């Protein structure tokens, strides 16, 4: 690890100033991903600006029926909060499907969204990786890519976005609040992460110096039936091979509102807009659900060794939607 | 902290760590993790370095009562917190109930993961209690923990000897 300066920021303004948008500056939250990447030599900051002493750890009602979750709220506290668990079960479930009890106690909301891909080529500095070192090539494309993307990947990068939380936030149409050198702005969770295109080094729309200050959970999906389901190589404590977050509301047997988002399949949470479009207003029979999910996954472009993900994602989405139809009808 | 501003480019700081009720003031390179501070600077070698990447849980300690992977925490960022290691849970003469249950159930083979398992289980049971909140059925909630739920909640602690069934037995003994 390279030696670095450490700043315990006393205010947001001080944090933004200490970071300065410089390439060697990094904000420190729980550190569960950043410190690991520093040990691996993937991250080599010269200055760490610690945000954990800032008052960013509150979960508050917004007055319109939504919630504002500070970016410093630890994953375990976010998941266990009674209002989150009651109004947005899909968010609690996604948080609890990620990592371990110890990691969830340390990891922050902001850090969870900004965590880097677990692509083994990205994490190994002896291997080529366009995300870590633009222009060096992609080792995974013709290498070990069983865990990699089947949707929205590019010639330059086939990595997947690893956060479970991000998938659930996209499904409930959350907003991400950012404070940066240019002031405050909010970005929809659906467009916070980006597709790799020809600049895979850029995971999100965050620019140097930006701090994620909060996640805003909107009133719309609050209280609706929702569910997160994740498939991984072992029963617990592993990244998603595929996952689905979904929200469903029925009106007289027809779909009034539906949101479906895949995790583990792409460089960002993948909102299944084709599936949603087909189901909206329809009677969600098992057959209608299957056809709607298949229509979305027609876009998949699996690689040599990850074609299994397409069928897995289909089965997962059909199961989650069928379960939600049953609970919404009950 | 000597290096509050950070603009000096200073790469070490003089910090105070509170561990098992004792305060220790020492100068540490910012790269030192809490695990290395405990083991290499304070001679508290209970917490173990297994993977050093937050994947095995052998380094688990309690920070302000919450279980965490000490290998992924920078010591410099722990100023003002209260750390409890396995040495702070109990000793041979007055073991923590979980330590006694691990002995009784023979819940280990090589023992390398045991300090992390113990700290993790103490933190896990505190989480269950906190989730139940002021609910008068807190003790009922705790005693309703199933084997599967204990295993899920303890999945951040690997045991390469495979002593999991007896670890779960020991945890269930304590909440019974």
């Amino acid at each position: 690890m390279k030696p670095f300066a450490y700043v315990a920021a006393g205010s947001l303004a001080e944090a933004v100033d200490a970071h300065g948008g410089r390439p060697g500056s990094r904000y420190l939250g729980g550190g569960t991903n950043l410190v690991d990447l520093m040990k691996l030599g993937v991250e080599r900051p010269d200055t760490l600006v610690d945000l954990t002493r800032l008052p960013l750890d509150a979960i508050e009602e917004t007055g319109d029926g939504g919630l504002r979750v500070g970016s410093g709220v630890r994953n375990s506290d976010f998941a266990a909060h009674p209002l989150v668990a009651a109004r947005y079960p899909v968010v609690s479930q996604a948080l609890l499907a990620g990592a371990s009890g110890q990691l969830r106690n340390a990891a922050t909301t902001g850090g969870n969204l900004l965590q880097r891909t677990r692509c083994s080529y990205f994490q190994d500095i002896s291997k080529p990786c366009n995300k870590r070192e633009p222009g060096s090539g992609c080792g995974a494309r013709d290498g070990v890519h069983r865990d990699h993307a089947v949707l929205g990947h590019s010639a330059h990068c086939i990595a997947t976005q690893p956060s479970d939380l991000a998938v659930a936030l996209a499904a409930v149409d959350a907003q991400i609040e950012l404070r940066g050198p240019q002031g405050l702005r909010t970005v929809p969770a659906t467009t916070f992460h980006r597709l790799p295109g020809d600049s895979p080094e850029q995971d999100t729309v965050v620019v140097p110096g930006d701090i994620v200050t909060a996640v805003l959970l909107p009133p719309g999906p609050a209280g609706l039936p929702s569910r997160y389901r994740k498939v991984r190589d072992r029963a617990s404590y592993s990244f998603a091979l595929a996952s689905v977050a979904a929200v469903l509301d029925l009106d007289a047997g027809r779909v009034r509102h539906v949101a479906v988002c895949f995790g583990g399949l792409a460089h960002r949470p993948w909102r299944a807009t084709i599936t949603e479009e087909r189901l909206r207003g329809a009677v969600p029979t098992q057959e209608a659900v299957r056809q709607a999910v298949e229509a979305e996954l027609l876009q998949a472009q699996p690689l040599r060794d990850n074609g299994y993900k397409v069928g897995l994602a289909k089965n997962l989405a059909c199961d989650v939607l069928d379960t939600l139809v049953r609970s919404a009808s009950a | 902290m000597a290096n509050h501003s950070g603009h000096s480019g200073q790469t070490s700081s003089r910090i105070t760590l509170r561990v098992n009720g004792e305060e220790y003031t020492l100068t540490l390179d910012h790269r030192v993790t809490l695990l290395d501070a405990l083991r290499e600077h304070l001679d508290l070698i209970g917490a173990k370095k297994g993977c050093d990447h937050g994947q095995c849980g052998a380094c688990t300690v309690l920070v302000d009562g919450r279980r965490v992977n000490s290998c992924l925490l920078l010591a410099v960022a722990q100023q003002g917190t209260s750390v409890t290691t396995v040495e702070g849970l109990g000793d041979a003469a007055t073991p923590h109930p979980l330590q006694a249950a691990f002995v009784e159930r023979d819940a280990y083979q090589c023992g390398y993961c045991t300090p992390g398992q113990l700290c993790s289980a103490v933190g896990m049971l505190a989480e269950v209690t906190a989730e139940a909140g002021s609910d008068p059925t807190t003790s009922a909630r705790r005693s309703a923990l199933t084997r599967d739920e204990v295993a899920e909640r303890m999945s951040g602690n690997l045991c390469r000897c495979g002593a999991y069934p007896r670890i779960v037995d020991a945890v269930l003994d304590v909440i019974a």
Side-chain angles (χ1 to χ4, degrees), chain A residues 64-89:
Chain A
D64 60 358
L67 293 176
R68 183 180 196 279
V69 181
S71 61
V73 173
R74 310 290 169 157
N75 290 180
S76 50
D77 298 327
F78 192 171
H81 194 281
L83 292 177
V84 176
R87 295 180 190 172
Y88 307 94

Side-chain angles (χ1 to χ4, degrees), chain A residues 121-140:
Chain A
Y121 296 86
F122 173 75
Q123 293 190 305
D124 181 346
I125 58 169
S126 72
K127 300 284 201 308
C129 172
N130 288 321
K131 182 180 283 298
R132 174 170 36 76
E133 197 179 327
S136 63
C138 173

Side-chain angles (χ1 to χ4, degrees), chain A residues 6, chain B residues 1-6 8 10 12-15 27 30 79:
Chain A
Y6 169 84
Chain B
M1 209 178 313
N3 184 29
H4 184 71
S5 81
S8 62
Q10 197 178 315
S12 63
S13 293
R14 191 157 179 81
I15 66 165
T27 299
H30 294 158
Q79 177 115 304

Side-chain angles (χ1 to χ4, degrees), chain A residues 271-292:
Chain A
R271 267 293 282 268
T273 52
I274 295 172
T275 301
E276 294 172 12
E277 187 63 34
R278 291 215 174 188
L279 287 178
R280 210 168 287 130
V283 176
T285 61
Q286 286 193 349
E287 182 58 18
V289 165
R290 188 181 61 78
Q291 287 180 10

Side-chain angles (χ1 to χ4, degrees), chain A residues 146-189:
Chain A
R146 175 181 165 274
D147 300 344
H148 289 65
V150 295
L151 286 164
H153 51 72
S154 74
H156 304 285
C157 183
I158 59 171
T160 54
Q161 188 287 125
S163 164
D164 295 295
L165 171 64
V167 179
L169 293 183
V172 300
D173 290 301
Q175 300 275 324
I176 315 296
E177 183 187 273
L178 296 163
R179 158 93 182 248
Q182 277 83 48
L184 206 63
R185 70 188 194 280
T186 57
V187 178

Side-chain angles (χ1 to χ4, degrees), chain A residues 309-328:
Chain A
K309 283 195 174 194
V310 181
L312 182 60
K314 176 188 143 187
N315 292 343
L316 206 48
C318 289
D319 172 71
V320 166
L321 285 167
D322 290 343
T323 303
L324 289 176
V325 167
R326 284 196 298 275
S327 56

